[in-house]
Amino acid sequence: RDIQMILLVKIVLDIERLICYNIRMTRTSSRWSDKEIRLLQQWYGDITIDEMSILVGKTPSAIQSKVHYLRKRGWAFDSTRR
């Protein structure tokens, strides 16, 4: 019962933006813009995933997922995965 109350308080604080579990995670739109996709295609493989995440404002996991998604649809990237 105490654990449930603690979890509820943490969820409420997170919703109210008083705490954040992941500082890289933002509550902005999760959709990829055309500009972000162009940056991804231009720089992916030339810079690290961490640098790319700062450049496009997405998490490293989101970047890897998007590259995988685009490759399945025939997009080509100049270098191998990092």
Side-chain angles (χ1 to χ4, degrees):
R1 185 168 164 94
D2 290 332
I3 293 174
Q4 289 175 338
M5 185 57 123
I6 291 170
L7 290 176
L8 181 62
V9 168
K10 284 184 177 184
I11 291 169
V12 169
L13 289 175
D14 191 33
I15 291 170
E16 297 294 324
R17 297 181 183 212
L18 297 175
I19 63 171
C20 185
Y21 295 106
N22 183 350
I23 60 172
R24 287 184 162 188
M25 189 182 322
T26 60
R27 292 184 184 243
T28 59
S29 174
S30 62
R31 298 185 68 102
W32 284 76
S33 69
D34 291 339
K35 180 181 176 182
E36 291 168 336
I37 293 172
R38 283 192 304 272
L39 285 172
L40 181 65
Q41 188 176 25
Q42 178 182 358
W43 290 103
Y44 186 78
D46 293 335
I47 61 177
T48 67
I49 295 289
D50 289 330
E51 292 168 335
M52 178 66 70
S53 70
I54 294 168
L55 180 66
V56 296
K58 304 283 185 182
T59 64
S61 176
I63 292 169
Q64 291 170 334
S65 295
K66 191 64 171 182
V67 168
H68 179 72
Y69 174 85
L70 292 172
R71 279 189 171 145
K72 285 174 61 174
R73 280 147 185 83
W75 284 58
F77 292 88
D78 290 336
S79 62
T80 59
R81 282 185 226 162
R82 289 187 173 225

